């Protein structure tokens, strides 16, 4: 199990007070805080090794290149990719998915082809496919959810068919916390000759993820949701797919040879990394992976399951609170979206902030899911390795106090 007190000592920001109270940070699905090891890795790059990569012959350039490529190997190890060359660095999950839509989809989709998504997708895994469908004439189809926010298995069977070319879905919902049966969906897609893209933005930071075991074709996730810096994303893809895809962006080190009239491309994955990348950010992502692997992803998952279970019980004890998503903590991540009566989530979020508690309130970039749930927004508390049960207690106490402030609960 994780030694939470030891972990908390590694995060300087957790010493902060907000509005005169200790910070309770419960907005980890949006972005996580950074341990000293990641902050140091970022500053040490700029203090000691700052140079461009893949193009200099001096010592600093070689150090920076080795550290940058070292992170690629660490990413491959984290997700059990067969080779480091299957890992492409981007700016974020959104760019990784757009890369696939642009470089794989534009060349291959035709009118009448189908892209299967789910109603729980984040906009990052929806908008790129909407744009691609309008451009190619492909059709979007959506797997619905049941009353507990789990994907309907009859829809999985019914909608993934002979015309399906791609199934793109989140492995863990950023609203419901639902952990989807990735291997089952991918097997269904492959049985119909389709490819499968997994949005791992909420899963890779929180649980063991094995791309070979899942047998996915693409996996996208972001550094900043797993202790690393912002501005770094990852796209894993089967190497033969990358070999067959055209570049997403042109320029810089993505070329092999250039004349005034034509160009040929670098080898994968570098043909997808045009221009100077976020070198320091990638190197610091490597430090974040080291930190998580030292804890163990199984331990990360176990800690969050316990927090999720505790939070579900705590919020269930508050009359008027509606919690969305599966009731069983074993089948969901430590993300708890909720509403309190007819109180607007923004009011809940503002009230909790006054107590030093940071949560998210709004549509969470999942407006179609909000419509499916019949709400305009929710409040959302999301947990990570440094959160404790007493912070869940603070959340529950804050909701009760907010309810009294807005006179939704008798003061007696």
């Amino acid at each position: 199990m994780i030694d939470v007190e030891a972990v908390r000592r590694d995060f300087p920001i957790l010493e902060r007070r907000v509005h005169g109270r200790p910070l309770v940070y419960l907005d980890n699905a949006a972005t996580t805080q950074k341990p000293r090891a990641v902050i140091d890795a970022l500053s040490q790059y700029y203090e000691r090794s700052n140079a461009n990569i893949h193009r200099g012959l001096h010592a600093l350039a070689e150090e920076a290149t080795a550290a940058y490529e070292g992170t690629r190997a660490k990413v491959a190890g984290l997700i059990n990719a067969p080779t480091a060359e299957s890992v492409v660095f981007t700016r974020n999950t959104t760019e990784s998915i757009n890369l696939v839509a642009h470089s794989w989809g534009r060349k291959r989709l035709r009118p009448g082809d189908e892209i299967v998504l789910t109603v729980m997708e984040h906009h990052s895994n929806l908008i790129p496919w909407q744009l691609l469908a309008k451009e190619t004439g492909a059709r979007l189809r959506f797997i619905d959810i049941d009353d507990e926010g789990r994907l309907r298995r009859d829809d999985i069977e019914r909608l993934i068919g002979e015309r399906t070319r791609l199934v793109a879905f989140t492995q863990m919902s950023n609203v419901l916390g639902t952990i989807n049966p990735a291997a089952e969906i991918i097997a269904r897609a492959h049985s119909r000759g389709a490819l499968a893209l997994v949005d791992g933005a909420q899963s890779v930071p929180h649980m063991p993820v094995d791309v070979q075991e899942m047998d996915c074709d693409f996996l996208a996730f972001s550094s900043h949701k797993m202790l690393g810096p912002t501005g770094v994303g990852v796209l894993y893809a089967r190497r033969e797919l990358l070999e067959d895809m055209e570049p997403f962006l042109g320029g810089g080190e993505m070329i092999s040879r250039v004349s005034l009239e034509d160009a040929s491309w670098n080898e994968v994955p570098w043909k997808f990394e045009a221009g100077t990348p976020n070198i320091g950010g990638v190197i610091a992502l490597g430090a974040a992976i080291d930190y998580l692997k030292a804890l163990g992803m199984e331990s990360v998952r176990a800690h969050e399951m316990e927090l999720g279970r505790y939070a579900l019980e705590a919020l269930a004890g508050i009359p008027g609170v509606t919690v969305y998503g599966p009731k069983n903590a074993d089948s969901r991540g430590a993300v708890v979206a909720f509403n309190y009566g007819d109180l607007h989530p923004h009011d809940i979020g503002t009230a909790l902030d006054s107590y030093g508690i940071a949560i998210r309130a709004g549509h969470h970039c999942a407006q179609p899911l909000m419509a499916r749930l019949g709400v305009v927004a929710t409040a959302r508390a999301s947990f990570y390795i440094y959160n404790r049960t007493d912070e869940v207690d603070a959340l529950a106490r804050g909701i009760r106090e907010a309810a009294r402030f807005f006179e939704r609960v008798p003061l007696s």
Side-chain angles (χ1 to χ4, degrees):
M1 291 295 291
I2 289 177
D3 182 345
V4 181
E5 295 308 317
V7 167
R8 289 179 67 86
R9 288 193 289 273
D10 292 333
F11 290 77
I13 202 170
L14 298 182
E15 298 174 2
R16 269 205 62 173
R17 298 181 71 84
V18 175
H19 304 307
R21 305 204 186 190
L23 169 65
V24 176
Y25 187 79
L26 304 179
D27 194 17
N28 295 287
T31 195
T32 63
Q33 300 301 340
K34 319 305 175 193
R36 175 63 68 188
V38 169
I39 298 168
D40 287 348
L42 193 60
S43 63
Q44 285 173 13
Y45 163 69
Y46 286 112
E47 288 177 359
R48 298 186 54 80
S49 303
N50 181 46
N52 215 326
I53 57 172
H54 298 148
R55 61 198 78 187
L57 297 178
H58 53 82
L60 294 186
E62 291 181 355
E63 286 178 13
T65 300
Y68 182 93
E69 294 301 330
T71 296
R72 198 186 307 276
K74 291 177 182 179
V75 170
L78 179 71
I79 60 174
N80 195 30
T83 68
E85 287 71 29
S86 296
V87 173
V88 177
F89 289 120
T90 62
R91 290 184 302 168
N92 42 53
T93 303
T94 303
E95 184 171 288
S96 295
I97 295 173
N98 273 274
L99 191 162
V100 176
H102 181 96
S103 296
W104 176 84
R106 291 179 72 187
K107 181 178 177 181
R108 292 162 180 81
L109 294 189
R110 300 287 182 270
D113 289 344
E114 294 181 349
I115 304 169
V116 176
L117 309 170
T118 83
V119 298
M120 66 171 67
E121 298 308 315
H122 188 282
H123 296 166
S124 294
N125 197 29
L126 174 61
I127 308 299
W129 309 118
Q130 290 180 347
L131 293 171
L132 182 65
K134 289 177 181 175
E135 182 178 337
T136 62
R139 179 188 181 195
L140 302 182
R141 308 198 76 185
F142 297 93
I143 299 170
D144 198 7
I145 55 176
D146 63 17
D147 292 341
E148 281 199 34
R150 296 170 299 203
L151 292 180
R152 288 181 48 168
R153 291 182 181 274
D154 57 334
D155 269 6
I156 294 172
E157 292 293 318
R158 181 174 62 85
L159 295 178
I160 301 175
E162 300 301 327
R163 304 187 71 89
T164 305
R165 295 293 174 267
L166 179 75
V167 182
F169 64 98
T170 181
Q171 190 172 14
M172 182 189 296
S173 167
N174 71 318
V175 176
L176 304 168
T178 309
I179 297 175
N180 290 320
E184 176 186 332
I185 297 170
I186 293 164
R188 174 71 182 180
H190 287 171
S191 73
R192 295 296 182 270
L195 300 186
L197 179 145
V198 177
D199 176 355
Q202 298 296 337
S203 60
V204 173
H206 301 283
M207 56 191 274
V209 172
D210 186 325
V211 294
Q212 295 190 71
E213 186 175 277
M214 280 195 299
D215 198 24
C216 64
D217 301 290
F218 304 102
L219 172 74
F221 58 98
S222 291
S223 157
H224 72 99
K225 295 180 189 291
M226 50 184 294
L227 308 180
T230 57
V232 177
V234 171
L235 172 67
Y236 158 80
R238 288 196 289 110
R239 183 164 181 167
E240 58 270 31
L241 292 172
L242 291 176
E243 298 278 7
D244 197 42
M245 288 160 54
E246 288 297 302
F248 181 41
L249 299 170
E253 291 296 304
M254 52 75 68
I255 56 89
S256 171
R257 183 192 59 81
V258 178
S259 67
L260 286 176
E261 304 296 337
D262 200 6
S264 57
W265 315 134
N266 201 343
E267 297 178 349
V268 297
W270 301 284
K271 79 174 181 181
F272 296 104
E273 296 179 4
T276 298
N278 184 352
I279 302 167
V282 168
I283 293 171
L285 169 60
I289 292 172
D290 290 341
Y291 193 95
L292 288 170
K293 293 195 75 169
L295 293 176
M297 294 309 297
E298 292 282 1
S299 296
V300 170
R301 171 66 181 143
H303 175 68
E304 295 188 16
M305 280 177 58
E306 186 57 34
L307 281 173
R309 184 177 295 110
Y310 193 84
L312 290 173
E313 292 175 0
L315 268 60
I318 304 175
V321 167
T322 300
V323 175
Y324 303 93
K327 293 181 173 61
N328 185 346
D330 294 351
S331 59
R332 60 183 295 159
V335 177
V336 182
F338 62 96
N339 275 320
Y340 180 89
D342 60 355
L343 200 60
H344 196 285
H346 285 177
D347 290 332
I348 298 174
T350 301
L352 290 175
D353 177 63
S354 71
Y355 310 137
I357 303 169
I359 67 162
R360 183 72 169 266
H363 54 64
H364 316 299
C365 297
Q367 286 185 316
L369 177 58
M370 295 294 113
R372 175 63 181 81
L373 296 174
V375 299
V376 296
T378 75
R380 183 187 70 187
S382 51
F383 305 91
Y384 207 29
I385 53 175
Y386 36 71
N387 289 125
R388 304 179 300 209
T389 55
D390 68 312
E391 294 180 312
V392 178
D393 294 334
L395 170 69
R397 187 166 57 249
I399 295 170
R400 293 180 185 276
E401 292 178 7
R404 290 191 175 91
F405 178 82
F406 289 104
E407 299 181 340
R408 295 301 200 278
V409 171
L411 292 174
S412 60

